[in-house]
Amino acid sequence: MTNMRDSMLHGGPDDAGNYHDSEFPLALGVRRLSLLDLSMLGHQPMQSNDADYVIAFNGELYNFAAIKKELQLLGHHFVSGADTEVVLHAYMQWGSEAFSKFNGMFALAIWNKTNNSLVLARDHAGMKPLYYFLDKEKKQLYFASEIRAFKALNAAWPEDEHWRIHFLAYGHMPEPHTTLSQVRSLPKGSWLQVELPSFNTSSNHWYKLPEFTQKISGEAASEALRQTLSQSVERHLVSDAPLGIFLSGGIDSSLIALLAAKQSKQQLTTLSIDFDSPSYSEKKYQDIIAQQIRSTHHSYLITQQHFEEQLPDILKALDQPSNDGINSYFICQYAKQAGLKAVLSGIGGDELFGGYPSFNRQKWIKPLQWMGPVLGLSKIIEQDWAKRFSYLRYASKESVYLFNRGYFTIEQIASLSGFDVQQVKDVLRINQKSAPTETGMAGVSRMEQDYYLQNQLLRDTDTMSMWHSVEVRIPFLDKEVVQVCQQTEDATRFNQKTPKHFLVRSFKDLLPAEISHRKKMGFVFPLEQWMQKVSIRGLCQPALFKFEKQFKKGTMKWSRYWAYLLSTGQPIQLHAAEKRILFASLRTFSAMGGIEKFNRAFAMALQENAQQYNWQVTHISAYDTQPDQRYFSSAGFIGFGKNRVRFMAHFLQNQHAYDTHIMGHINLSALLFASTVLSGRKKRRILITHGIEVWHRLKMFQAKALRASSEIWSVSSYTAEKIRTLNAALLPPIRIFPNTLDPFFYERAEKDNKATASAANTLAPGYLLTISRLASTEQYKGYDQVIQALPQLLPQFPNLVYVLGGSGDEPERKRLEQLIQQLGLQKHVVLAGFIPENDLHTFYENAAAFVMPSRKEGFGIVFVEAAWSGIRVIAGNADGSPEALLHGQLGTLIDPGSIAELSAALLSALQMPALTPTQKEDQRKLVEENFGFDAYRARQHRLLAQLSTPTTD
């Protein structure tokens, strides 16, 4: 719980608190941003005097003073000036009926010990987010204000399989959907109650827009709006911490500032953003209002450089992907720099009073829908604006909204997300007929509130403001203001010729003519101009190059291009990376052999070096489907699941985007050679070689790839010498790049994971151990020789056991069983089968010695693992094994063809006492200095950072 709480430290830096119930496994945690009663009397979670009620509250209750007076008359006593205490007592008095009395923005949780129930609730307009996971069968409930809190609880929390479909359609995550599996958003104006310990639930909407039989119009409506909006601004100014106002230069923010100046007795602080692009600058209008109200005004100039510098933090701040939020990020950042804790914003005015083009387009919806299938042809038109017409083939609220604001067509979403067209339709509910609850422009207003305002503007505003420890308050969404709008006749409230006609007319005596008569611009950034000047790298997606070309050409809007980039889930870099590296492997995560172990460590080192040195790295694998994200993020990984044709096609189509190609196996030679044909020798091409697969004279594409490589990386000097000797043609430089201990081998060892359902439980310590693949095609590992040497050891060690671990094929297993039976060693040889990674250390540390007298080992990472585990190691001296044992410093080297020499080495290892703790530590240090992951990663960086030269190591 503390991890969840502190993942949101940015939103509550002033105080932190936990509550743990004494009877139930229930805990509440709060990070506090103090705005009312800055003392510790406002500490949360807050308990009632009798400790029967506990509250965790996020937000502000603007009418708390009036409710507090009512409660005091009913006998309630208060010790703080915090609105949280008022909310708690209101719930104690009225239960869930209390929520209908609240006017504010909030998300809350209240634990009621009198009936053992927990209630979650959210404000009427959904200004404050509240996400939850509920599993009744497992009796689990988690909730938080940000999605990142669930990842803090469980870093491996699975993604929602359909989130990309939603995002590619909307450019945001439409509630209740989130990017995480089974994590949902609590609907606005609703509560959810969970009873313990039964986990019975109940829920209800405590707020619904009222229906008015008698509407108001004309001057009466204007007067009602003037009164309620003025009162709303007055309520929103209440704060014990510094407060300011966002001033964009538009009608909405200007009006909020003007009303605040009339209400406030103190000089106001206003904030504005300006750009060096004249077509985006609104400084003229911002200055008009700032001068009129004589505020302390701060204007901040944002350039392309600011955008590029801040982009990594902007992407980090986004709790869920959104096609907006960049503007909110900067204005909230500057609010914090100005020393403010709360700011008033003009959000909501466009949705309530008809400020968007969607209000004018409403009259064309039904006529266009009559065209039916003809609209489907629009999806083939190159221009963005035309593609959205295809949504009007369907008669649903969702389709109408996506016609107005959608990003990609259903067919495009299917192509980009990997789902078929029907699945996309089902997920988006696009073909389910539904009528809006309101028609005409009032219906458009509700649609804009329920989708764009709710899911994008409000969420982005809260996310970005909390990231900077600033609270954004929204007077236009005050409950009373929204109700006045609902009560006003449509003919008064909306005017198709003049956007926000009702709002402007109602405050015509207050708004300067320069503001009220100016053309709507919106709070927009010159992002399109900035993005035209840079290239996106950091992605390896087939659609990237096509969309980038369309964007540069001007046939794709910035917002749609940006939505695609975010939908990939991959890191986005605006600056060209210092290096752009494509690592291609056959297998990395779907098998456990030595080469796959190498690839996992290599991929992890690549990604960590990329983060440190501004490299772009993409890993593609022919046989894998998904990466193990401990090693390599799915953001930079593309797996082809044994579809070799697609794998090869992808490489050939995208190889030109990378300056460095790393081929993880000689069997990828055809691709390496093909890239030289397609891109010439200007690319740096690195071929990794391991062992026996290159210990012969290479022919055809393999020979061509060998010569076409810029350099060859070999896991051992032995393999390098084999390549030189057997391939006499002129070769590129050969670098020695030995294997490493798996980066998580240390972690598993420190956890001391004991094997449970394995042979290690039934074996007394002191056995001999070999871990190898048992394959009929690889009968050179030396385990036959160990079995044959056992009879010479048993007279002195009658209870000796040899454990042979590893997966393999059935013919080899049967052959070994026959050999064991022939020698009468059934009680002395254990074929342990595959040993899970978590159990490896247990097998190693309980052994007297690790032995594998191989004749064809390229490097032998098992030797390094055994040496690090603190046991004696015996290996052959005729292959790459000596290098893994530092030529005898970490173990004993023998002639793998001599049973006598092997027997003598085994006898010596069994007679010697186990290594002392000091000896084990010295041996471990020697391993880590030469083969530890940190040393490995640094070695990889040195080799990749240097240019290829015609010398060999």
Side-chain angles (χ1 to χ4, degrees):
M1 186 270 292
T2 302
N3 286 345
M4 293 185 73
R5 184 199 70 185
D6 290 346
S7 70
M8 298 180 286
L9 168 65
H10 46 270
D14 298 333
D15 189 20
N18 291 335
Y19 166 82
H20 296 272
D21 191 75
S22 59
E23 299 179 37
F24 294 94
L26 179 143
L28 301 175
V30 178
R31 298 281 341 180
R32 185 184 178 209
L33 180 66
S34 305
L35 289 143
L36 293 174
D37 194 339
L38 309 184
S39 73
M40 287 304 294
L41 294 175
H43 176 76
Q44 292 192 53
M46 184 181 288
Q47 299 186 51
S48 59
N49 292 334
D50 57 10
D52 281 345
Y53 295 84
V54 187
I55 185 172
F57 181 76
N58 175 30
E60 298 293 334
L61 188 63
Y62 300 122
N63 64 338
F64 79 97
I67 296 175
K68 185 175 185 178
K69 288 181 181 179
E70 185 177 358
L71 288 167
Q72 286 172 328
L73 292 174
L74 292 172
H76 290 258
H77 300 281
F78 296 87
V79 298
S80 76
D83 54 350
T84 302
E85 189 178 11
V86 175
V87 173
L88 179 61
H89 281 259
Y91 186 80
M92 292 163 57
Q93 179 68 38
W94 299 299
S96 60
E97 296 297 319
F99 303 143
S100 62
K101 293 177 175 286
F102 297 165
N103 190 357
M105 60 175 186
F106 60 84
L108 61 79
I110 298 177
W111 170 233
N112 182 353
K113 289 183 68 68
T114 66
N115 62 6
N116 296 330
S117 67
L118 179 76
V119 65
L120 307 178
R122 194 172 175 208
D123 67 71
H124 69 284
M127 290 175 276
K128 280 294 178 182
L130 182 53
Y131 306 102
Y132 70 96
F133 166 85
L134 176 63
D135 189 324
K136 293 183 180 181
E137 291 185 3
K138 294 182 179 179
K139 295 192 174 182
Q140 292 179 337
L141 171 66
Y142 302 107
F143 57 91
S145 295
E146 296 184 8
I147 290 296
R148 74 181 86 242
F150 297 89
K151 296 288 284 185
L153 175 70
N154 177 10
W157 196 296
E159 289 185 342
D160 182 274
E161 63 175 331
H162 296 137
W163 81 260
R164 286 178 176 83
I165 293 178
H166 293 296
F167 182 70
L168 287 167
Y170 289 93
H172 59 245
M173 293 305 300
E175 294 186 358
H177 307 287
T178 72
T179 54
L180 298 184
S181 176
Q182 299 185 66
V183 176
R184 292 293 179 259
S185 177
L186 186 70
K188 62 183 178 182
S190 72
W191 56 261
L192 169 68
Q193 182 171 289
V194 181
E195 298 174 6
L196 299 183
S198 68
F199 262 71
N200 292 330
T201 62
S202 56
S203 61
N204 203 351
H205 282 271
W206 64 263
Y207 178 81
K208 293 181 180 179
L209 273 177
E211 296 292 334
F212 295 95
T213 55
Q214 291 186 340
K215 298 271 189 170
I216 57 176
S217 61
E219 182 55 29
S222 292
E223 177 56 32
L225 179 60
R226 284 192 291 268
Q227 182 176 340
T228 54
L229 188 57
S230 298
Q231 291 171 347
S232 171
V233 171
E234 183 179 13
R235 285 191 289 267
H236 282 69
L237 287 170
V238 176
S239 175
D240 294 329
L243 179 146
I245 299 172
F246 289 158
L247 191 56
S248 69
I251 292 172
D252 302 331
S253 66
S254 297
L255 183 55
I256 297 299
L258 291 164
L259 290 172
K262 292 180 66 176
Q263 301 288 348
S264 179
K265 297 178 182 179
Q266 299 178 344
Q267 186 179 33
L268 293 174
T269 298
T270 51
L271 304 164
S272 294
I273 286 177
D274 191 25
F275 308 103
D276 52 6
S277 174
S279 59
Y280 285 88
S281 176
E282 297 187 83
K283 191 174 188 305
K284 169 186 173 182
Y285 305 105
Q286 297 161 356
D287 289 345
I288 288 174
I289 300 300
Q291 292 167 12
Q292 181 170 327
I293 65 176
R294 298 181 179 180
S295 64
T296 301
H297 186 60
H298 302 273
S299 182
Y300 300 90
L301 180 69
I302 300 180
T303 65
Q304 177 160 352
Q305 182 179 353
H306 289 108
F307 169 61
E308 294 179 8
E309 290 174 349
Q310 294 299 315
L311 181 61
D313 197 55
I314 291 171
L315 295 173
K316 187 178 178 181
L318 280 176
D319 192 38
Q320 295 190 87
S322 171
N323 231 34
D324 206 341
I326 296 174
N327 46 11
S328 298
Y329 174 92
F330 279 106
I331 195 67
C332 292
Q333 181 186 59
Y334 294 134
K336 184 176 183 179
Q337 289 181 15
L340 303 176
K341 273 197 171 181
V343 287
L344 272 61
S345 168
I347 290 174
D350 287 313
E351 289 79 6
L352 291 174
F353 303 104
Y356 294 131
S358 56
F359 287 86
N360 281 334
R361 286 198 288 262
Q362 174 63 21
K363 61 180 178 289
W364 298 107
I365 299 296
K366 285 189 176 180
L368 285 169
Q369 287 177 329
W370 291 339
M371 298 174 65
V374 176
L375 295 170
L377 298 175
S378 65
K379 65 179 181 289
I380 66 174
I381 300 175
E382 190 175 17
Q383 295 293 339
D384 275 351
W385 62 267
K387 294 181 182 297
R388 294 204 304 263
F389 279 88
S390 64
Y391 277 111
L392 292 181
R393 291 175 289 172
Y394 311 98
S396 65
K397 288 185 292 186
E398 291 79 7
S399 65
V400 172
Y401 177 82
L402 293 172
F403 160 68
N404 281 305
R405 293 189 179 273
Y407 285 83
F408 291 92
T409 66
I410 292 170
E411 291 76 13
Q412 288 173 321
I413 295 170
S415 174
L416 293 171
S417 65
F419 292 89
D420 63 41
V421 169
Q422 187 58 49
Q423 288 174 311
V424 173
K425 290 180 182 179
D426 292 342
V427 169
L428 296 178
R429 300 167 57 89
I430 206 71
N431 51 1
Q432 298 184 16
K433 290 187 177 181
S434 59
T437 54
E438 295 174 278
T439 59
M441 296 182 76
V444 179
S445 176
R446 291 305 307 160
M447 180 181 66
E448 291 287 8
Q449 290 177 63
D450 290 341
Y451 288 92
Y452 183 62
L453 176 66
Q454 179 68 57
N455 301 320
Q456 188 152 314
L457 294 187
L458 292 181
R459 181 185 295 150
D460 290 346
T461 297
D462 185 80
T463 298
M464 294 307 188
S465 62
M466 289 295 98
W467 186 255
H468 293 294
S469 308
V470 173
E471 180 179 271
V472 175
R473 298 178 173 182
I474 308 171
F476 275 116
L477 296 186
D478 181 277
K479 190 195 294 186
E480 294 184 10
V481 175
V482 173
Q483 289 181 359
V484 164
C485 292
Q486 183 72 4
Q487 190 177 8
T488 301
E489 283 187 349
D490 287 3
T492 297
R493 184 178 167 193
F494 303 110
N495 186 306
Q496 289 187 339
K497 295 182 179 179
T498 309
K500 294 192 280 195
H501 173 74
F502 175 47
L503 180 65
V504 172
R505 188 186 66 188
S506 299
F507 291 95
K508 61 183 179 181
D509 296 334
L510 185 62
L511 280 168
E514 298 94 329
I515 302 296
S516 61
H517 293 138
R518 64 167 297 201
K519 183 179 179 181
K520 176 177 174 55
M521 184 171 179
F523 188 20
V524 294
F525 274 36
L527 296 174
E528 186 131 8
Q529 292 182 9
W530 293 345
M531 289 300 300
Q532 287 284 355
K533 299 177 183 178
V534 297
S535 293
I536 296 290
R537 290 294 178 262
L539 301 174
C540 185
Q541 295 283 346
L544 171 63
F545 307 107
K546 179 179 73 173
F547 288 160
E548 185 176 47
K549 183 178 180 181
Q550 290 178 5
F551 171 62
K552 300 285 187 180
K553 185 180 176 182
T555 57
M556 174 177 279
K557 288 186 177 179
W558 138 263
S559 56
R560 192 160 166 263
Y561 182 42
W562 188 247
Y564 159 71
L565 295 174
L566 291 179
S567 75
T568 66
Q570 297 189 24
I572 298 171
Q573 299 171 345
L574 293 185
H575 292 289
E578 180 183 322
K579 290 186 180 299
R580 299 190 299 279
I581 300 171
L582 178 60
F583 173 41
S585 71
L586 293 174
R587 275 193 182 92
T588 299
F589 303 107
S590 58
M592 297 297 295
I595 292 178
E596 288 77 25
K597 279 190 173 185
F598 177 95
N599 287 342
R600 285 198 291 277
F602 191 85
M604 184 171 176
L606 265 182
Q607 195 159 74
E608 291 189 5
N609 278 326
Q611 293 169 356
Q612 185 173 356
Y613 299 107
N614 187 33
W615 299 348
Q616 172 210 335
V617 172
T618 301
H619 180 188
I620 63 173
S621 170
Y623 289 92
D624 296 317
T625 302
Q626 295 292 333
D628 182 333
Q629 295 198 46
R630 295 173 304 165
Y631 295 88
F632 200 89
S633 167
S634 59
F637 179 85
I638 304 176
F640 291 87
K642 299 183 181 180
N643 192 325
R644 289 175 291 181
V645 173
R646 285 185 58 225
F647 169 76
M648 295 172 66
H650 180 88
F651 177 88
L652 296 174
Q653 288 170 3
N654 296 283
Q655 53 84 29
H656 66 277
Y658 300 88
D659 51 54
T660 302
H661 300 160
I662 301 177
M663 314 306 285
H665 200 279
I666 190 65
N667 287 349
L668 295 172
S669 294
L671 290 183
L672 190 150
F673 179 71
S675 74
T676 64
V677 176
L678 293 171
S679 301
R681 294 186 174 269
K682 59 186 178 181
K683 306 285 185 184
R684 185 179 182 186
R685 296 179 178 86
I686 298 169
L687 175 64
I688 296 175
T689 57
H690 299 274
I692 193 172
E693 78 279 1
V694 290
W695 292 356
H696 55 87
R697 185 169 180 80
L698 301 179
K699 299 178 181 179
M700 300 293 291
F701 279 121
Q702 292 187 346
K704 291 178 180 294
L706 208 63
R707 294 191 293 270
S709 300
S710 306
E711 55 203 88
I712 299 167
W713 289 14
S714 173
V715 296
S716 64
S717 297
Y718 183 87
T719 293
E721 188 57 33
K722 280 278 190 181
I723 295 171
R724 290 191 188 99
T725 303
L726 296 169
N727 297 274
L730 183 64
L731 293 177
I734 302 180
R735 318 290 188 190
I736 306 305
F737 188 70
N739 210 330
T740 180
L741 271 173
D742 183 283
F744 295 100
F745 188 81
Y746 319 99
E747 179 182 303
R748 289 188 285 265
E750 288 170 4
K751 289 181 178 178
D752 197 26
N753 291 322
K754 300 298 182 183
T756 52
S758 66
N761 285 339
T762 60
L763 295 170
Y767 47 80
L768 299 176
L769 176 66
T770 298
I771 295 175
S772 170
R773 182 167 50 237
L774 309 181
S776 53
T777 57
E778 299 180 16
Q779 295 175 5
Y780 49 76
K781 298 291 187 176
Y783 43 75
D784 281 43
Q785 285 81 353
V786 178
I787 294 173
Q788 292 168 19
L790 284 179
Q792 301 178 43
L793 306 177
L794 290 177
Q796 190 167 343
F797 299 96
N799 296 319
L800 181 63
V801 172
Y802 174 41
V803 178
L804 181 51
S807 58
D809 55 49
E810 189 61 23
E812 182 68 356
R813 185 177 184 89
K814 288 183 177 180
R815 187 187 70 82
L816 289 173
E817 288 174 347
Q818 290 174 358
L819 177 62
I820 293 166
Q821 189 172 4
Q822 288 171 6
L823 297 176
L825 298 174
Q826 294 92 325
K827 295 182 180 180
H828 298 281
V829 180
V830 175
L831 299 180
F834 173 73
I835 298 176
E837 289 287 304
N838 286 342
D839 296 343
L840 268 178
H841 181 66
T842 301
F843 274 89
Y844 281 130
E845 69 176 2
N846 288 338
F850 182 87
V851 53
M852 193 170 79
S854 174
R855 302 186 306 279
K856 297 181 181 180
E857 189 68 32
F859 175 79
I861 189 61
V862 286
F863 299 130
V864 178
E865 292 174 345
W868 189 88
S869 299
I871 61 172
R872 303 187 189 282
V873 184
I874 300 170
N877 62 7
D879 55 10
S881 303
E883 292 173 66
L885 291 181
L886 297 177
H887 300 283
Q889 294 184 66
L890 292 174
T892 302
L893 299 171
I894 63 161
D895 179 357
S898 172
I899 299 293
E901 196 171 329
L902 172 61
S903 299
L906 290 172
L907 191 62
S908 175
L910 291 168
Q911 290 172 336
M912 295 176 69
L915 298 181
T916 67
T918 300
Q919 289 173 322
K920 287 184 178 182
E921 185 60 28
D922 289 344
Q923 184 164 297
R924 179 172 293 184
K925 287 180 179 179
L926 190 59
V927 169
E928 291 184 355
E929 287 172 3
N930 289 274
F931 307 118
F933 183 72
D934 289 341
Y936 177 86
R937 182 180 55 230
R939 186 181 296 118
Q940 184 194 73
H941 170 251
R942 286 196 301 271
L943 289 178
L944 285 173
Q946 70 186 28
L947 295 175
S948 181
T949 59
T951 60
T952 58
D953 290 347

